[in-house]
């Protein structure tokens, strides 16, 4: 009886493994300025956060050159396409892949 109960719990949890609870694969992330961290970046760079307004998740301590930040401001992307230079702090945004929210 104990084995059946354990098997039932395991089978119920299997579908959860394929989920995306933080919505990283959804086209609903945006790079937005983060003024609270502006002292961490050099002149010509902008402090940023990747924000998802649907689930109120964010990843901050990012930076990008001013021109790139202006170019991608308001552009939705999937968090999984965010490319960062992990050797810097704040992390330098290398690129994002734009998408359409209905995708």
């Amino acid at each position: 009886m104990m084995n059946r109960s354990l098997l039932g719990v395991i089978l119920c949890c299997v579908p959860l493994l394929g989920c995306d609870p933080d919505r990283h694969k959804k086209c609903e992330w945006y790079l937005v300025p983060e003024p609270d961290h502006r002292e961490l970046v050099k002149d010509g760079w902008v402090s940023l956060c990747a924000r998802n307004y649907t689930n109120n998740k964010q990843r901050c301590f990012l930076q990008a050159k001013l021109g790139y930040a202006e170019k991608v401001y308001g552009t939705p992307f999937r968090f999984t396409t965010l490319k960062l230079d992990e050797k810097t702090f704040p992390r330098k945004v290398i690129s994002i892949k734009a998408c359409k929210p209905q995708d």
Side-chain angles (χ1 to χ4, degrees):
M1 188 67 151
M2 180 66 162
N3 288 339
R4 280 190 178 163
S5 297
L6 182 59
L7 181 61
V9 170
I10 290 172
L11 289 176
C12 288
C13 293
V14 169
L16 298 177
L17 297 175
C19 291
D20 184 17
D22 291 330
R23 303 178 72 88
H24 286 175
K25 297 176 185 176
K26 300 288 184 183
C27 183
E28 52 193 30
W29 290 83
Y30 297 87
L31 286 177
V32 295
E34 180 52 55
D36 291 344
H37 303 149
R38 68 177 169 254
E39 74 279 354
L40 299 174
V41 298
K42 296 178 182 175
D43 286 342
W45 291 78
V46 179
S47 178
L48 301 169
C49 285
R51 287 209 172 103
N52 183 321
Y53 294 104
T54 303
N55 64 359
N56 295 315
K57 298 281 184 181
Q58 66 181 16
R59 178 168 179 195
C60 293
F61 297 105
L62 306 174
Q63 64 177 324
K65 288 191 175 184
L66 178 59
Y68 184 74
E70 289 175 335
K71 177 182 165 187
V72 299
Y73 181 74
T75 303
F77 66 96
R78 290 176 177 83
F79 191 85
T80 55
T81 68
L82 175 65
K83 302 292 184 220
L84 302 172
D85 180 350
E86 299 288 341
K87 298 174 189 166
T88 63
F89 184 84
R91 304 287 185 241
K92 290 181 184 174
V93 174
I94 297 169
S95 68
I96 62 169
K97 184 178 177 187
C99 58
K100 294 181 182 167
Q102 64 272 19
D103 291 346

